[in-house]
Amino acid sequence: MPEIWEQKHIVFFDGECGVCNFWVQWILERDKKDQFMFASLQSDFGQKFLSERGLETKQFNTLYLWKPHQYYLIKSKAVLKIANLLGGIYNLSVIGKLMPTFISDTIYNKISENRMKLSAQKCFLPDQHQKKKFIEV
């Protein structure tokens, strides 16, 4: 029998980044269809994901969205797919697909480079329901 996370979209994020934690909380609050689970890139689960794909295991400045047995997306493509999956008004993110990836990833990289300055380090404490959505942090 498959693990519950194998049926979800997994968001891998920097567990030590205040901006990243803000966006995890933002997704959690809008995930009405229960589509997402989360794991920090620093966790054993996150490190296994990265190493199995030959991805960088010491730098945590990239967001990954993984649909097990199907695909994984990085940076701006991951952000746009998350917005699309949330649906509703966030479907407007389809406009972002009109922008070439090198431009949207350049914007993503600029934000990523400055993310520690953008947000004070805050500890996000998920409620009981939200805790079930985390594989490892």
Side-chain angles (χ1 to χ4, degrees):
M1 189 162 152
E3 298 282 342
I4 189 167
W5 57 263
E6 291 183 275
Q7 308 301 316
K8 306 286 184 175
H9 288 84
I10 313 299
V11 177
F12 290 97
F13 64 99
D14 181 349
E16 297 176 1
C17 167
V19 171
C20 303
N21 282 286
F22 168 84
W23 286 110
V24 166
Q25 187 173 2
W26 187 89
I27 296 167
L28 277 167
E29 291 170 2
R30 288 156 181 81
D31 184 20
K32 305 301 183 207
K33 299 177 195 166
D34 193 29
Q35 303 175 84
F36 297 98
M37 291 188 79
F38 304 86
S40 75
L41 291 164
Q42 294 92 333
S43 70
D44 290 342
F45 190 82
Q47 288 291 292
K48 182 177 181 203
F49 167 83
L50 294 170
S51 63
E52 284 177 351
R53 287 155 187 81
L55 301 168
E56 174 59 53
T57 60
K58 302 289 184 227
Q59 294 289 322
F60 308 115
N61 59 351
T62 299
L63 175 83
Y64 297 90
L65 177 66
W66 178 42
K67 178 67 173 170
H69 313 294
Q70 293 184 31
Y71 63 83
Y72 76 90
L73 302 171
I74 65 171
K75 299 182 179 185
S76 63
K77 288 210 178 281
V79 171
L80 291 171
K81 182 68 172 181
I82 290 167
N84 181 257
L85 288 166
L86 289 172
I89 187 122
Y90 308 110
N91 278 332
L92 292 175
S93 67
V94 76
I95 294 167
K97 291 183 178 182
L98 299 175
M99 186 181 307
T101 302
F102 78 91
I103 293 174
S104 59
D105 276 353
T106 298
I107 295 167
Y108 179 95
N109 289 338
K110 275 292 177 211
I111 293 168
S112 178
E113 288 169 14
N114 294 293
R115 71 189 196 281
M116 295 302 186
K117 297 175 199 166
L118 294 172
S119 174
Q121 291 290 328
K122 290 192 234 180
C123 218
F124 165 62
L125 300 173
D127 64 28
Q128 286 303 105
H129 173 71
Q130 292 172 335
K131 282 182 184 178
K132 296 176 190 169
K133 297 182 123 230
F134 286 85
I135 298 168
E136 286 183 13
V137 182

